[in-house]
Amino acid sequence: MATISNTPRPGYAWDATDNVWYPIGVGQHSHGEIPATIVDAKGDIIAATAADTVARLAVGSNDQVLTADSSTATGLKWATPAAGGMTLITEAVLSASTGYSFSSIPSTYKQLLLVWGGIQHSANAAEWGIRLNANSGSVYQQAHIQLNANSVSVQTLSRTSISTSQGLPFGYSATVSGREVQGTLLIDNYSSSTKLKRYNCTYGYFDNEAAVDRYADITGTYNSTSAITSIDITRLAGTATISNVTNTSVRLYGVS
């Protein structure tokens, strides 16, 4: 009997048990070769449905990703990936406001990010801060570094709002055009009902009353296990109102 060479041959698969070459995708032999006809379209894949059992998983739609799903026959499915990044929850344009509340905040995000710019005071000597859930207790355990022109102050504080001694984050007497209050507040794990909430806040503005530029960086903990459902811009002292200058706003984002 002639000896069959097992030197690789393009388009064929060598079966050592049957001692024979089979065209790829064709043949009936002891190893139950997967036939090429199991797939029908570009992008189809072969997946197991049970031990030693395979089936076709049809290609998904553009930009879908392969996802494990034990409820399907193959344990796999094509699915649209979950959205990431930031989602705008609410945008407010303040106009002669004595305060503003971002209320009924959805609990579906990982973090909250409040961003503001162009905030101008109607007069000097008014202080503003942010309260969570309108909580005015000494539950904001924070440390901050504040830069005032060429001076630096560092404080550790227990306060009744997210603020410094000059008011934060909406300033003290910002009335100079082009140098209004601007800043950000990031709150982590805000929807937890069992954990304290970490926050970081930065701000900057020109204090017209003291004729000095101010900048602060704050890190703190909201000392409450209650889920945060509102963020409240609050006047702490004085009678001034705050407004957004043209083409600016205060925006609350949910971070996925």
Side-chain angles (χ1 to χ4, degrees):
M1 178 179 296
T3 300
I4 300 176
S5 170
N6 62 2
T7 302
R9 298 171 60 186
Y12 287 78
W14 172 254
D15 189 305
T17 300
D18 291 347
N19 196 35
V20 67
W21 287 100
Y22 283 101
I24 294 174
V26 179
Q28 302 296 324
H29 54 93
S30 60
H31 295 299
E33 178 186 338
I34 299 173
T37 53
I38 197 171
V39 290
D40 297 331
K42 178 181 178 180
D44 286 355
I45 62 174
I46 299 170
T49 58
D52 304 323
T53 307
V54 296
R56 166 185 176 254
L57 178 62
V59 64
S61 302
N62 288 345
D63 300 321
Q64 287 188 318
V65 296
L66 193 62
T67 304
D69 184 348
S70 61
S71 68
T72 67
T74 61
L76 300 169
K77 68 178 181 182
W78 294 100
T80 301
M86 299 193 306
T87 301
L88 181 62
I89 298 173
T90 305
E91 181 174 23
V93 177
L94 305 183
S95 178
S97 297
T98 59
Y100 187 86
S101 179
F102 292 89
S103 59
S104 302
I105 298 173
S107 62
T108 52
Y109 303 101
K110 294 182 177 66
Q111 298 174 314
L112 295 175
L113 178 65
L114 188 68
V115 182
W116 60 92
I119 298 293
Q120 196 169 81
H121 290 209
S122 64
N124 292 344
E127 297 182 19
W128 295 80
I130 285 180
R131 287 174 174 160
L132 307 176
N133 294 342
N135 192 330
S136 59
S138 297
V139 293
Y140 305 90
Q141 311 299 322
Q142 61 188 36
H144 84 254
I145 180 169
Q146 181 168 296
L147 308 179
N148 304 314
N150 295 322
S151 66
V152 179
S153 64
V154 180
Q155 299 182 36
T156 300
L157 305 166
S158 176
R159 300 194 64 83
T160 60
S161 68
I162 300 174
S163 62
T164 70
S165 58
Q166 293 296 328
L168 180 86
F170 284 83
Y172 185 68
S173 56
T175 58
V176 175
S177 178
R179 298 162 80 177
E180 297 88 2
V181 188
Q182 56 188 332
T184 61
L185 169 66
L186 179 67
I187 307 171
D188 187 53
N189 200 27
Y190 72 100
S191 62
S192 172
S193 59
T194 60
K195 298 291 191 299
L196 306 182
K197 317 303 185 296
R198 294 279 303 134
Y199 60 83
N200 289 92
C201 184
T202 61
Y203 84 105
Y205 71 103
F206 181 78
D207 183 335
N208 188 62
E209 186 172 80
V212 64
D213 286 293
R214 300 189 188 278
Y215 170 84
D217 193 324
I218 291 181
T219 181
T221 298
Y222 178 55
N223 194 22
S224 171
T225 58
S226 298
I228 295 171
T229 58
S230 73
I231 297 177
D232 307 288
I233 301 168
T234 304
R235 187 170 59 192
L236 306 175
T239 59
T241 60
I242 53 176
S243 299
N244 278 104
V245 299
T246 303
N247 298 326
T248 68
S249 64
V250 185
R251 299 178 304 282
L252 178 63
Y253 294 94
V255 183
S256 299

